[in-house]
mmCIF file of all heavy atoms in Angstrom:
data_model
loop_
_atom_site.group_PDB
_atom_site.id
_atom_site.type_symbol
_atom_site.label_atom_id
_atom_site.label_comp_id
_atom_site.label_asym_id
_atom_site.label_seq_id
_atom_site.Cartn_x
_atom_site.Cartn_y
_atom_site.Cartn_z
ATOM 1 N N SER A 1 147.244 57.415 123.579
ATOM 2 C CA SER A 1 146.604 57.165 122.284
ATOM 3 C C SER A 1 145.994 55.773 122.272
ATOM 4 O O SER A 1 146.597 54.825 122.777
ATOM 5 C CB SER A 1 147.628 57.290 121.155
ATOM 6 O OG SER A 1 148.144 58.605 121.104
ATOM 7 N N THR A 2 144.804 55.659 121.685
ATOM 8 C CA THR A 2 144.086 54.390 121.709
ATOM 9 C C THR A 2 143.723 53.913 120.306
ATOM 10 O O THR A 2 143.586 54.711 119.369
ATOM 11 C CB THR A 2 142.788 54.507 122.525
ATOM 12 O OG1 THR A 2 141.980 55.557 121.968
ATOM 13 C CG2 THR A 2 143.079 54.827 123.971
ATOM 14 N N ASN A 3 143.591 52.598 120.184
ATOM 15 C CA ASN A 3 143.095 51.960 118.965
ATOM 16 C C ASN A 3 142.096 50.901 119.377
ATOM 17 O O ASN A 3 142.301 50.211 120.384
ATOM 18 C CB ASN A 3 144.232 51.303 118.168
ATOM 19 C CG ASN A 3 145.215 52.300 117.619
ATOM 20 O OD1 ASN A 3 146.271 52.510 118.180
ATOM 21 N ND2 ASN A 3 144.840 52.930 116.514
ATOM 22 N N TYR A 4 141.035 50.761 118.585
ATOM 23 C CA TYR A 4 139.994 49.775 118.882
ATOM 24 C C TYR A 4 139.675 48.955 117.640
ATOM 25 O O TYR A 4 139.719 49.461 116.519
ATOM 26 C CB TYR A 4 138.708 50.462 119.342
ATOM 27 C CG TYR A 4 138.814 51.182 120.652
ATOM 28 C CD1 TYR A 4 139.137 52.529 120.700
ATOM 29 C CD2 TYR A 4 138.593 50.510 121.852
ATOM 30 C CE1 TYR A 4 139.248 53.200 121.908
ATOM 31 C CE2 TYR A 4 138.683 51.170 123.067
ATOM 32 C CZ TYR A 4 139.012 52.513 123.085
ATOM 33 O OH TYR A 4 139.111 53.164 124.292
ATOM 34 N N ALA A 5 139.311 47.717 117.863
ATOM 35 C CA ALA A 5 138.759 46.910 116.784
ATOM 36 C C ALA A 5 137.421 47.529 116.377
ATOM 37 O O ALA A 5 136.678 48.050 117.230
ATOM 38 C CB ALA A 5 138.549 45.473 117.249
ATOM 39 N N LEU A 6 137.107 47.462 115.104
ATOM 40 C CA LEU A 6 135.857 48.053 114.630
ATOM 41 C C LEU A 6 134.643 47.445 115.326
ATOM 42 O O LEU A 6 133.652 48.126 115.569
ATOM 43 C CB LEU A 6 135.742 47.875 113.113
ATOM 44 C CG LEU A 6 136.655 48.759 112.257
ATOM 45 C CD1 LEU A 6 136.482 48.427 110.776
ATOM 46 C CD2 LEU A 6 136.373 50.231 112.497
ATOM 47 N N SER A 7 134.746 46.187 115.656
ATOM 48 C CA SER A 7 133.606 45.485 116.253
ATOM 49 C C SER A 7 133.273 45.965 117.662
ATOM 50 O O SER A 7 132.177 45.708 118.161
ATOM 51 C CB SER A 7 133.873 43.979 116.272
ATOM 52 O OG SER A 7 135.042 43.695 117.029
ATOM 53 N N VAL A 8 134.215 46.650 118.312
ATOM 54 C CA VAL A 8 133.970 47.094 119.694
ATOM 55 C C VAL A 8 133.965 48.609 119.829
ATOM 56 O O VAL A 8 133.636 49.131 120.899
ATOM 57 C CB VAL A 8 135.009 46.496 120.670
ATOM 58 C CG1 VAL A 8 135.079 44.988 120.526
ATOM 59 C CG2 VAL A 8 136.380 47.122 120.479
ATOM 60 N N LYS A 9 134.309 49.297 118.774
ATOM 61 C CA LYS A 9 134.407 50.753 118.844
ATOM 62 C C LYS A 9 133.062 51.345 119.235
ATOM 63 O O LYS A 9 132.020 50.992 118.691
ATOM 64 C CB LYS A 9 134.870 51.306 117.495
ATOM 65 C CG LYS A 9 135.573 52.647 117.577
ATOM 66 C CD LYS A 9 136.275 52.980 116.277
ATOM 67 C CE LYS A 9 137.116 54.237 116.411
ATOM 68 N NZ LYS A 9 137.850 54.554 115.164
ATOM 69 N N GLY A 10 133.107 52.253 120.213
ATOM 70 C CA GLY A 10 131.876 52.867 120.692
ATOM 71 C C GLY A 10 131.236 52.124 121.850
ATOM 72 O O GLY A 10 130.339 52.657 122.511
ATOM 73 N N ARG A 11 131.676 50.895 122.086
ATOM 74 C CA ARG A 11 131.122 50.093 123.186
ATOM 75 C C ARG A 11 132.153 49.832 124.284
ATOM 76 O O ARG A 11 131.805 49.745 125.461
ATOM 77 C CB ARG A 11 130.613 48.749 122.664
ATOM 78 C CG ARG A 11 129.518 48.853 121.618
ATOM 79 C CD ARG A 11 128.921 47.480 121.294
ATOM 80 N NE ARG A 11 129.897 46.592 120.677
ATOM 81 C CZ ARG A 11 130.233 45.393 121.164
ATOM 82 N NH1 ARG A 11 129.681 44.948 122.287
ATOM 83 N NH2 ARG A 11 131.125 44.630 120.539
ATOM 84 N N PHE A 12 133.410 49.685 123.874
ATOM 85 C CA PHE A 12 134.483 49.385 124.829
ATOM 86 C C PHE A 12 135.376 50.618 124.994
ATOM 87 O O PHE A 12 135.583 51.389 124.048
ATOM 88 C CB PHE A 12 135.352 48.241 124.326
ATOM 89 C CG PHE A 12 134.676 46.891 124.310
ATOM 90 C CD1 PHE A 12 133.319 46.744 124.498
ATOM 91 C CD2 PHE A 12 135.432 45.750 124.076
ATOM 92 C CE1 PHE A 12 132.710 45.503 124.478
ATOM 93 C CE2 PHE A 12 134.849 44.493 124.045
ATOM 94 C CZ PHE A 12 133.481 44.375 124.245
ATOM 95 N N THR A 13 135.936 50.752 126.196
ATOM 96 C CA THR A 13 136.874 51.837 126.471
ATOM 97 C C THR A 13 138.067 51.293 127.236
ATOM 98 O O THR A 13 137.902 50.651 128.277
ATOM 99 C CB THR A 13 136.214 52.948 127.300
ATOM 100 O OG1 THR A 13 135.072 53.452 126.605
ATOM 101 C CG2 THR A 13 137.199 54.088 127.529
ATOM 102 N N ILE A 14 139.254 51.547 126.706
ATOM 103 C CA ILE A 14 140.476 51.143 127.380
ATOM 104 C C ILE A 14 141.096 52.353 128.072
ATOM 105 O O ILE A 14 141.048 53.468 127.557
ATOM 106 C CB ILE A 14 141.484 50.508 126.387
ATOM 107 C CG1 ILE A 14 142.664 49.892 127.133
ATOM 108 C CG2 ILE A 14 141.944 51.515 125.335
ATOM 109 C CD1 ILE A 14 143.585 49.056 126.244
ATOM 110 N N SER A 15 141.651 52.111 129.254
ATOM 111 C CA SER A 15 142.326 53.184 129.975
ATOM 112 C C SER A 15 143.497 52.594 130.756
ATOM 113 O O SER A 15 143.518 51.397 131.043
ATOM 114 C CB SER A 15 141.343 53.895 130.914
ATOM 115 O OG SER A 15 140.815 52.994 131.866
ATOM 116 N N ARG A 16 144.454 53.436 131.058
ATOM 117 C CA ARG A 16 145.586 52.972 131.847
ATOM 118 C C ARG A 16 145.862 53.966 132.954
ATOM 119 O O ARG A 16 145.803 55.182 132.742
ATOM 120 C CB ARG A 16 146.826 52.732 130.984
ATOM 121 C CG ARG A 16 147.417 53.936 130.304
ATOM 122 C CD ARG A 16 148.477 53.522 129.270
ATOM 123 N NE ARG A 16 149.753 53.166 129.889
ATOM 124 C CZ ARG A 16 150.761 52.588 129.229
ATOM 125 N NH1 ARG A 16 150.632 52.294 127.960
ATOM 126 N NH2 ARG A 16 151.897 52.313 129.855
ATOM 127 N N ASP A 17 146.166 53.436 134.120
ATOM 128 C CA ASP A 17 146.533 54.245 135.274
ATOM 129 C C ASP A 17 147.995 53.952 135.555
ATOM 130 O O ASP A 17 148.327 52.950 136.201
ATOM 131 C CB ASP A 17 145.647 53.894 136.473
ATOM 132 C CG ASP A 17 145.861 54.825 137.652
ATOM 133 O OD1 ASP A 17 146.978 55.382 137.773
ATOM 134 O OD2 ASP A 17 144.939 54.986 138.446
ATOM 135 N N ASN A 18 148.856 54.811 135.051
ATOM 136 C CA ASN A 18 150.293 54.564 135.191
ATOM 137 C C ASN A 18 150.738 54.601 136.651
ATOM 138 O O ASN A 18 151.718 53.946 137.014
ATOM 139 C CB ASN A 18 151.071 55.585 134.362
ATOM 140 C CG ASN A 18 150.875 55.391 132.875
ATOM 141 O OD1 ASN A 18 150.642 54.278 132.403
ATOM 142 N ND2 ASN A 18 150.945 56.474 132.121
ATOM 143 N N ALA A 19 150.032 55.331 137.467
ATOM 144 C CA ALA A 19 150.408 55.417 138.874
ATOM 145 C C ALA A 19 150.081 54.131 139.626
ATOM 146 O O ALA A 19 150.777 53.764 140.582
ATOM 147 C CB ALA A 19 149.700 56.595 139.526
ATOM 148 N N LYS A 20 149.013 53.439 139.174
ATOM 149 C CA LYS A 20 148.600 52.204 139.835
ATOM 150 C C LYS A 20 149.014 50.964 139.055
ATOM 151 O O LYS A 20 148.687 49.839 139.467
ATOM 152 C CB LYS A 20 147.076 52.209 140.030
ATOM 153 C CG LYS A 20 146.582 53.291 140.961
ATOM 154 C CD LYS A 20 145.074 53.196 141.162
ATOM 155 C CE LYS A 20 144.584 54.261 142.133
ATOM 156 N NZ LYS A 20 143.108 54.190 142.337
ATOM 157 N N ASP A 21 149.709 51.169 137.919
ATOM 158 C CA ASP A 21 150.172 50.042 137.102
ATOM 159 C C ASP A 21 149.013 49.124 136.700
ATOM 160 O O ASP A 21 149.140 47.893 136.739
ATOM 161 C CB ASP A 21 151.248 49.238 137.855
ATOM 162 C CG ASP A 21 152.465 50.089 138.195
ATOM 163 O OD1 ASP A 21 152.774 51.012 137.422
ATOM 164 O OD2 ASP A 21 153.079 49.836 139.250
ATOM 165 N N THR A 22 147.930 49.743 136.288
ATOM 166 C CA THR A 22 146.729 48.996 135.952
ATOM 167 C C THR A 22 146.149 49.480 134.632
ATOM 168 O O THR A 22 146.141 50.680 134.353
ATOM 169 C CB THR A 22 145.669 49.147 137.056
ATOM 170 O OG1 THR A 22 146.202 48.653 138.287
ATOM 171 C CG2 THR A 22 144.406 48.365 136.722
ATOM 172 N N VAL A 23 145.672 48.531 133.841
ATOM 173 C CA VAL A 23 144.966 48.842 132.613
ATOM 174 C C VAL A 23 143.559 48.266 132.721
ATOM 175 O O VAL A 23 143.384 47.131 133.184
ATOM 176 C CB VAL A 23 145.681 48.243 131.390
ATOM 177 C CG1 VAL A 23 144.881 48.510 130.119
ATOM 178 C CG2 VAL A 23 147.074 48.822 131.261
ATOM 179 N N THR A 24 142.589 49.032 132.297
ATOM 180 C CA THR A 24 141.192 48.639 132.438
ATOM 181 C C THR A 24 140.494 48.628 131.082
ATOM 182 O O THR A 24 140.788 49.475 130.228
ATOM 183 C CB THR A 24 140.469 49.613 133.378
ATOM 184 O OG1 THR A 24 141.091 49.565 134.664
ATOM 185 C CG2 THR A 24 139.009 49.244 133.535
ATOM 186 N N LEU A 25 139.618 47.676 130.906
ATOM 187 C CA LEU A 25 138.776 47.628 129.715
ATOM 188 C C LEU A 25 137.325 47.645 130.172
ATOM 189 O O LEU A 25 136.847 46.662 130.750
ATOM 190 C CB LEU A 25 139.053 46.376 128.881
ATOM 191 C CG LEU A 25 138.288 46.289 127.557
ATOM 192 C CD1 LEU A 25 138.805 47.349 126.577
ATOM 193 C CD2 LEU A 25 138.421 44.893 126.933
ATOM 194 N N GLN A 26 136.656 48.740 129.921
ATOM 195 C CA GLN A 26 135.232 48.863 130.242
ATOM 196 C C GLN A 26 134.446 48.408 129.024
ATOM 197 O O GLN A 26 134.605 48.959 127.930
ATOM 198 C CB GLN A 26 134.875 50.308 130.597
ATOM 199 C CG GLN A 26 133.403 50.525 130.868
ATOM 200 C CD GLN A 26 132.922 49.812 132.117
ATOM 201 O OE1 GLN A 26 133.608 49.825 133.136
ATOM 202 N NE2 GLN A 26 131.749 49.195 132.040
ATOM 203 N N MET A 27 133.609 47.399 129.212
ATOM 204 C CA MET A 27 132.856 46.815 128.105
ATOM 205 C C MET A 27 131.369 47.029 128.344
ATOM 206 O O MET A 27 130.820 46.513 129.326
ATOM 207 C CB MET A 27 133.171 45.322 127.989
ATOM 208 C CG MET A 27 134.652 45.026 127.859
ATOM 209 S SD MET A 27 135.011 43.287 127.552
ATOM 210 C CE MET A 27 134.440 42.564 129.092
ATOM 211 N N ASN A 28 130.738 47.779 127.468
ATOM 212 C CA ASN A 28 129.308 48.062 127.560
ATOM 213 C C ASN A 28 128.582 47.475 126.360
ATOM 214 O O ASN A 28 129.196 47.152 125.341
ATOM 215 C CB ASN A 28 129.073 49.567 127.630
ATOM 216 C CG ASN A 28 129.710 50.213 128.839
ATOM 217 O OD1 ASN A 28 129.804 49.620 129.915
ATOM 218 N ND2 ASN A 28 130.149 51.452 128.672
ATOM 219 N N SER A 29 127.283 47.363 126.482
ATOM 220 C CA SER A 29 126.445 46.847 125.388
ATOM 221 C C SER A 29 126.999 45.545 124.843
ATOM 222 O O SER A 29 127.132 45.373 123.618
ATOM 223 C CB SER A 29 126.327 47.897 124.269
ATOM 224 O OG SER A 29 125.800 49.101 124.752
ATOM 225 N N LEU A 30 127.319 44.643 125.730
ATOM 226 C CA LEU A 30 127.946 43.390 125.319
ATOM 227 C C LEU A 30 127.006 42.545 124.475
ATOM 228 O O LEU A 30 125.784 42.533 124.667
ATOM 229 C CB LEU A 30 128.407 42.613 126.545
ATOM 230 C CG LEU A 30 129.698 43.144 127.180
ATOM 231 C CD1 LEU A 30 129.840 42.672 128.612
ATOM 232 C CD2 LEU A 30 130.891 42.714 126.343
ATOM 233 N N LYS A 31 127.616 41.822 123.537
ATOM 234 C CA LYS A 31 126.886 40.962 122.614
ATOM 235 C C LYS A 31 127.394 39.529 122.760
ATOM 236 O O LYS A 31 128.547 39.325 123.183
ATOM 237 C CB LYS A 31 127.106 41.433 121.176
ATOM 238 C CG LYS A 31 126.760 42.884 120.912
ATOM 239 C CD LYS A 31 127.136 43.275 119.491
ATOM 240 C CE LYS A 31 126.822 44.752 119.221
ATOM 241 N NZ LYS A 31 127.201 45.145 117.837
ATOM 242 N N PRO A 32 126.587 38.553 122.383
ATOM 243 C CA PRO A 32 127.063 37.160 122.454
ATOM 244 C C PRO A 32 128.367 36.941 121.690
ATOM 245 O O PRO A 32 129.201 36.128 122.116
ATOM 246 C CB PRO A 32 125.909 36.373 121.829
ATOM 247 C CG PRO A 32 124.701 37.197 122.138
ATOM 248 C CD PRO A 32 125.164 38.626 122.023
ATOM 249 N N GLU A 33 128.564 37.669 120.608
ATOM 250 C CA GLU A 33 129.792 37.496 119.830
ATOM 251 C C GLU A 33 131.022 38.068 120.530
ATOM 252 O O GLU A 33 132.144 37.909 120.041
ATOM 253 C CB GLU A 33 129.652 38.120 118.433
ATOM 254 C CG GLU A 33 129.126 39.540 118.411
ATOM 255 C CD GLU A 33 127.626 39.609 118.175
ATOM 256 O OE1 GLU A 33 126.871 38.802 118.775
ATOM 257 O OE2 GLU A 33 127.201 40.487 117.388
ATOM 258 N N ASP A 34 130.841 38.736 121.660
ATOM 259 C CA ASP A 34 131.977 39.183 122.459
ATOM 260 C C ASP A 34 132.504 38.069 123.367
ATOM 261 O O ASP A 34 133.532 38.246 124.035
ATOM 262 C CB ASP A 34 131.579 40.381 123.331
ATOM 263 C CG ASP A 34 131.248 41.616 122.520
ATOM 264 O OD1 ASP A 34 131.971 41.897 121.539
ATOM 265 O OD2 ASP A 34 130.264 42.303 122.859
ATOM 266 N N THR A 35 131.811 36.955 123.396
ATOM 267 C CA THR A 35 132.240 35.832 124.218
ATOM 268 C C THR A 35 133.607 35.332 123.775
ATOM 269 O O THR A 35 133.826 35.022 122.598
ATOM 270 C CB THR A 35 131.227 34.683 124.130
ATOM 271 O OG1 THR A 35 129.989 35.118 124.702
ATOM 272 C CG2 THR A 35 131.719 33.450 124.878
ATOM 273 N N ALA A 36 134.549 35.282 124.718
ATOM 274 C CA ALA A 36 135.922 34.879 124.407
ATOM 275 C C ALA A 36 136.747 34.893 125.692
ATOM 276 O O ALA A 36 136.277 35.355 126.737
ATOM 277 C CB ALA A 36 136.545 35.832 123.390
ATOM 278 N N VAL A 37 137.950 34.387 125.573
ATOM 279 C CA VAL A 37 138.941 34.597 126.628
ATOM 280 C C VAL A 37 139.672 35.884 126.295
ATOM 281 O O VAL A 37 140.168 36.054 125.173
ATOM 282 C CB VAL A 37 139.925 33.416 126.730
ATOM 283 C CG1 VAL A 37 140.970 33.700 127.806
ATOM 284 C CG2 VAL A 37 139.181 32.123 127.024
#
């Protein structure tokens, strides 16, 4: 189950690979306001 901030919904996708112990955030259509750590 996933939850997204409204500001990124439709542009970002989170996924987890439990077998590889990895979580990924795919970020598309990036905007200057996405600049952050």
Side-chain angles (χ1 to χ4, degrees):
S1 298
T2 57
N3 294 99
Y4 294 93
L6 287 177
S7 60
V8 307
K9 205 167 187 178
R11 300 188 295 123
F12 291 11
T13 302
I14 189 171
S15 60
R16 64 191 282 170
D17 187 333
N18 292 331
K20 295 183 178 180
D21 300 329
T22 300
V23 177
T24 299
L25 184 69
Q26 177 67 42
M27 305 186 295
N28 299 327
S29 302
L30 283 160
K31 305 175 181 179
E33 50 264 43
D34 294 318
T35 295
V37 178

